[in-house]
Amino acid sequence: HRGSAYTVIRPNDIREERRAAGLEEDDTIVFATAYARTKQALLDGINVIYSATNLDKASRNSIMHIISDMDNIDTKLIIRYAEPKEIRREKRSDESLLKLENMAAKLHNYPPESSEGWMEIKTIGTDPYKEQGYVEERTSVQQDQEREWEYKR
């Protein structure tokens, strides 16, 4: 079992590091860096809190792939649901409302499952799309059309 030392890895912090260094904020590089730091910390015996706004199924699978060949790794996933409009209003993210809504839709449509390898999955809050079935992600064109329609009403 691991000790109590831990590190927090946030892709948004890596974006900020790159921005401050005058480097491109390329998502491929950002996530490759986050995954490399996660793996190294675990190999060094340090617990990892991976904090991401958008932990979709592909990202969750990437994390599981990193630890698949490691022993004694407890995998606990905590999902904190939040209403996208609330996140923007409280300025907890620089992401556009459309992007936040699409992230929430992805999480709703493809929620984490123990079959992915998680030993424990805990949720905080309520899925903003809980009462709906599959939620279609929207494009910026669709969003503009919806705004225009709202304006005309």
Side-chain angles (χ1 to χ4, degrees):
H1 199 64
R2 297 181 166 276
S4 59
Y6 72 92
T7 186
V8 179
I9 296 175
R10 294 180 186 91
N12 286 344
D13 289 350
I14 296 168
R15 276 191 193 89
E16 184 56 40
E17 288 171 20
R18 295 185 60 76
R19 194 178 308 130
L23 299 170
E24 188 178 349
E25 295 177 47
D26 181 283
D27 275 351
T28 303
I29 295 170
V30 166
F31 285 100
T33 303
Y35 299 147
R37 289 180 183 179
T38 297
K39 184 172 186 169
Q40 190 57 56
L42 292 170
L43 289 171
D44 292 344
I46 299 170
N47 294 301
V48 173
I49 297 172
Y50 187 93
S51 178
T53 306
N54 183 19
L55 199 57
D56 61 17
K57 188 170 179 70
S59 299
R60 296 189 310 260
N61 287 340
S62 294
I63 294 290
M64 283 300 163
H65 178 74
I66 289 169
I67 62 175
S68 64
D69 60 347
M70 296 183 189
D71 295 327
N72 300 320
I73 303 291
D74 292 334
T75 55
K76 180 177 184 177
L77 180 65
I78 301 173
I79 300 291
R80 182 179 178 271
Y81 285 108
E83 175 64 46
K85 289 178 183 170
E86 175 189 322
I87 294 170
R88 288 297 302 143
R89 187 173 45 252
E90 294 178 4
K91 296 181 174 45
R92 288 187 279 160
S93 175
D94 293 335
E95 303 291 355
S96 71
L97 180 59
L98 176 65
K99 189 166 184 178
L100 291 168
E101 287 172 344
N102 283 340
M103 288 178 193
K106 282 181 189 176
L107 186 58
H108 170 80
N109 294 334
Y110 307 101
E113 302 172 341
S114 58
S115 63
E116 295 174 4
W118 302 105
M119 298 170 117
E120 182 181 347
I121 300 171
K122 179 179 178 182
T123 58
I124 300 170
T126 304
D127 175 354
Y129 299 117
K130 178 180 155 191
E131 302 302 322
Q132 300 176 34
Y134 183 83
V135 177
E136 196 70 43
E137 293 179 49
R138 299 178 307 137
T139 66
S140 58
V141 172
Q142 288 169 314
Q143 185 183 40
D144 291 343
Q145 289 169 341
E146 289 168 12
R147 281 188 188 137
E148 187 176 322
W149 183 79
E150 287 285 326
Y151 178 75
K152 289 178 181 179
R153 284 195 320 164

